[in-house]
Structures are given as C-alpha cells and as structure tokens.
Amino acid sequence: MSTVAGSPLPYWRLSGFYFAYFALLGGVAPFLSLYFESLGFSPARIGELVAIPMLMRCIAPNLWGWLGDATGQRLLIVRVGALLTALCFAGIFWRQDYWWLAAIMALHSFFWHAVLPQFEAITLAHLGSQSARYSQLRLWGSVGFILTVVLLGLLLQRAGMAVYPMAMFGIMLLIAVCSSLVPQPPRQPASAAVAGDGFLRRLRQPGVPAFFVAVALMQLSHGPYYTFLSIHLEALGYGRGLIGLLWALGVLAEIVLFMFMHRLLAWISLRQLLVVSFALAALRWLLLGTLAEEMLVLLFAQLLHAATFGAFHVASIHLVQQRFGERYQGQGQALYATLAGIGGALGALCSGYAWAGMGPTLTFAAAALAAFVGMLLLLLRLHDQSSKGAG
C-alpha cells in the first residue's frame, strides 16, 4: 500500500465513499423524474421538483466550503452532511404532496451538496504529493453510478416505482456509513498567514476567473446532452435498451480514462488537458446534433465522454488544488461545484426552450459554441503555473 507522509493511503475507504456518493447520483439522474411522474405530477411540476436540487447546488457548497476552511473540520462536515441528507430525505415516506416534496428536495440536497467539495479536499490531503492518483480513487464513483443505473433499473422494472424512495434512502445510509470509515487526513504543517493573502486574492489570480467562467460554460454545453439525448436518439429510431447501453458506454470510457489519468498527468499540463477537453466537447456536440443516426459516429461521440467529463473534471480538481492551496481548498472546490451547478441548471433550462424552437441540430450547435468559447477563454487567459499537471 502506498503511503503519504508516513501514513498508509486508505485507498478502499476513500474509494468506497466515491462509490456510494455517485451511486446515489446514478439513482437520481435517470429515475427521479420517473418517480414523480408515477405520483401523478404534471411535467411542469416535475421540472420544478427536479430543479430544486440544482438550485441548492448553486447555494450550499460555498457556505459549507467557508465553514470547512474556517474550522478545518471537513471530515465532520462530510459525516454530518451525509447523515442529515438521509434523515431529511426520510420525510418522503410520510407524505408525497407537492409542497412537502419540494421541501424534502430542498433540505436533503442542501446537505448532500455540502459533502462532495469537502470530501475532494480530504482526498487530496490524503494523497499529498501523490495527487496524480486522484483519478484512481474517483473512478470508483463512476463504477457506483453505472451499477446503480443497471441494477436499480432492473429492480424498478420488476417491483415498480414504489420501491424507489427506499432504494435511495438505503444508498444515503451507505454514504453515511462510508463517511464514518474514512480517517482524518494527515495534518499538514500550518502555513503562516501572509499579509494580503486570502480567498479573494487567490480568486483574482491571472486566469482563475476565466477558468471558473469556462467551468460554467462546459456544464452549460452539457445541457442538451443530459436533458434530451435519450429523446433525440429515440426519435432517430434507437431502442430504449440500446440507448441505455450507449449511456453506459460513456461512463465506461470515463472509467478507463480515470485508470490511466495519473500517467497522462505526468506529461501533459492541466491547461493543455482542459483545452483539449473543451475542443472535444465542441466536436462531440456537433456530431450528436448532425450525425447521431450513424452508429459508428454515435459510438465515437459517446467515447468522448472520457474527455468532456472525465479529463475535464480531473484537470479542474487539480487546478483548484494548485491555485487555492491547502488553506482555501474547501472554498475553491465549493466554488467549482457552484459554477458547475449554475452552468448545468442554465444548460437544462436553455436547452428546453431551444429544443422546441430550434430543433436538435441547432441546439447541439449552440452547445458546441459554448464549449468553443470556453476553450478560447482558457487559451487566452489561463497560463500554466507549473510545467506538468502532476506537480
């Protein structure tokens, strides 16, 4: 087992948390709206209920990030946040009227979105100088996501949507258990406060504001993909079983990339990795909008998920670590989560309006334009702080 600063790296405990956390996301993304539909809600009400957690993602991470940096108690925040996520969600077993469910969505997601940015900082603290191995831990989140999509789909097909809340509650309890097994990271030497230094000063470093704008643009560009890909492919004549496999292919490509990312980071800079991921995102959306009826093109476009999510996310996590340091790591990761949430919410909203008015081709073209603008921002404004991403 590898060691960090003389302490063994708790690989499986860290990986187990990522597995459980993204298993929950694998239950939410494909099935939450179906559950609300089974309760008889209209499409408008379903959209509102699904949007509430996105709104919380724009609010919660910064509050918890500030608290984590101010107190240093990031692991306690993760454990309490995971437990309160489950406890708040448990209210769904009592009532299922609209306003009660809206409150449940707001409360449980407020604590759920507190968890991941703080855990990212904990993971990087455990890794220390081995931060390039982050992707080897994070890949288990993708494994959890894809297993949940497959197994929960089979369960709901056999038992019906009535079992959905219990399945989600069980995964939330698993997250809480996994968080309790993670040890405190090695204590870093306390860095002396530097006059004039602070979170806002770090945020104003050259290229950092452009990076965060690019983060929002990348997530905005994913709006048509996450919201309408299945509908788009079904309209082109693909069966639902094949569509599910195509979704899974994208996540599998992401997992493979995570397995080799530590080697990639040894010879390519974070800026280069980000620029390439944005360029491939623009290409991917153009292909999906114009040539998705060609199976080989569609397979290639799904394999590009390794770049548009996997490479982008890993490079972003490392860049935030690099630019904000240990002292402001929690707030930096929280801001990254917040900008991603804002971009994702705007992407879903804008693609909904564009899809009906402009159609799939122009909607995906607009998404490609958003990714291209993000690439230009990074090319013009972001500069490498060190020669390699693994530094």
Side-chain angles (χ1 to χ4, degrees):
M1 178 182 291
S2 299
T3 60
V4 178
S7 301
L9 176 68
Y11 179 88
W12 290 111
R13 297 192 221 181
L14 294 170
S15 299
F17 180 90
Y18 282 114
F19 179 93
Y21 185 92
F22 286 95
L24 182 61
L25 189 60
V28 169
F31 303 117
L32 182 62
S33 59
L34 294 177
Y35 173 69
F36 291 143
E37 183 182 51
S38 74
L39 296 177
F41 289 111
S42 68
R45 289 299 198 188
I46 293 171
E48 291 163 2
L49 290 171
V50 172
I52 290 172
M54 293 184 182
L55 177 63
M56 287 298 106
R57 190 181 178 188
C58 301
I59 298 172
N62 287 308
L63 172 62
W64 295 109
W66 170 83
L67 186 63
D69 285 346
T71 64
Q73 297 296 320
R74 294 194 180 108
L75 187 56
L76 179 61
I77 290 173
V78 168
R79 290 170 174 170
V80 172
L83 182 59
L84 290 178
T85 297
L87 292 178
C88 290
F89 184 82
I92 203 170
F93 299 116
W94 185 21
R95 285 162 45 189
Q96 290 85 38
D97 59 272
Y98 174 79
W99 289 109
W100 181 256
L101 287 175
I104 294 298
M105 289 296 103
L107 282 173
H108 97 274
S109 61
F110 178 77
F111 294 109
W112 185 31
H113 290 311
V115 168
L116 186 60
Q118 299 308 305
F119 195 79
E120 300 280 32
I122 291 168
T123 296
L124 292 169
H126 273 294
L127 288 169
S129 61
Q130 301 182 54
S131 61
R133 294 188 62 196
Y134 164 81
S135 57
Q136 296 177 331
L137 297 166
R138 174 59 182 80
L139 72 85
W140 288 101
S142 301
V143 173
F145 182 96
I146 197 169
L147 282 179
T148 303
V149 169
V150 173
L151 296 179
L152 184 58
L154 293 173
L155 175 64
L156 296 177
Q157 187 172 340
R158 293 191 175 200
M161 293 304 301
V163 302
Y164 177 76
M166 184 59 70
M168 291 295 94
F169 182 65
I171 296 175
M172 291 174 189
L173 289 179
L174 179 62
I175 295 173
V177 170
C178 289
S179 71
S180 71
L181 298 176
V182 174
Q184 287 282 357
R187 287 193 173 275
Q188 304 294 323
S191 56
V194 178
D197 189 21
F199 175 72
L200 291 179
R201 179 181 176 277
R202 300 293 183 106
L203 183 59
R204 291 194 296 266
Q205 293 176 87
V208 172
F211 161 74
F212 281 115
V213 173
V215 165
L217 286 170
M218 177 64 104
Q219 295 306 315
L220 187 149
S221 80
H222 277 72
Y225 175 74
Y226 286 123
T227 310
F228 291 108
L229 179 65
S230 296
I231 294 173
H232 180 46
L233 296 182
E234 195 168 38
L236 292 175
Y238 294 97
R240 291 181 180 177
L242 179 57
I243 290 171
L245 291 175
L246 289 166
W247 278 94
L249 176 63
V251 181
L252 285 173
E254 168 192 317
I255 292 171
V256 172
L257 180 76
F258 283 151
M259 293 174 65
F260 296 99
M261 180 61 77
H262 66 291
R263 298 179 184 176
L264 187 62
L265 288 172
W267 60 272
I268 187 172
S269 72
L270 297 178
R271 176 178 179 270
Q272 291 169 337
L273 192 58
L274 284 168
V275 168
V276 169
S277 69
F278 275 79
L280 291 177
L283 173 63
R284 187 186 187 195
W285 308 144
L286 289 175
L287 292 176
L288 287 176
T290 58
L291 295 171
E293 66 275 8
E294 301 291 338
M295 176 57 76
L296 289 179
V297 174
L298 182 56
L299 290 174
F300 175 68
Q302 284 304 90
L303 290 175
L304 288 179
H305 192 71
T308 65
F309 176 79
F312 162 75
H313 176 70
V314 172
S316 296
I317 291 292
H318 280 288
L319 191 137
V320 170
Q321 179 198 28
Q322 181 188 85
R323 299 303 169 93
F324 287 86
E326 172 63 23
R327 180 180 290 272
Y328 304 107
Q329 189 67 202
Q331 292 176 80
Q333 299 294 349
L335 186 59
Y336 167 65
T338 297
L339 268 295
I342 292 172
L346 288 175
L349 183 64
C350 293
S351 64
Y353 293 126
W355 198 266
M358 301 193 308
T361 300
L362 289 179
T363 301
F364 274 112
L369 178 61
F372 182 74
V373 172
M375 182 193 73
L376 289 181
L377 271 176
L378 295 176
L379 280 172
L380 295 173
R381 303 296 300 168
L382 184 66
H383 302 285
D384 289 318
Q385 197 173 73
S386 59
S387 58
K388 301 296 178 190

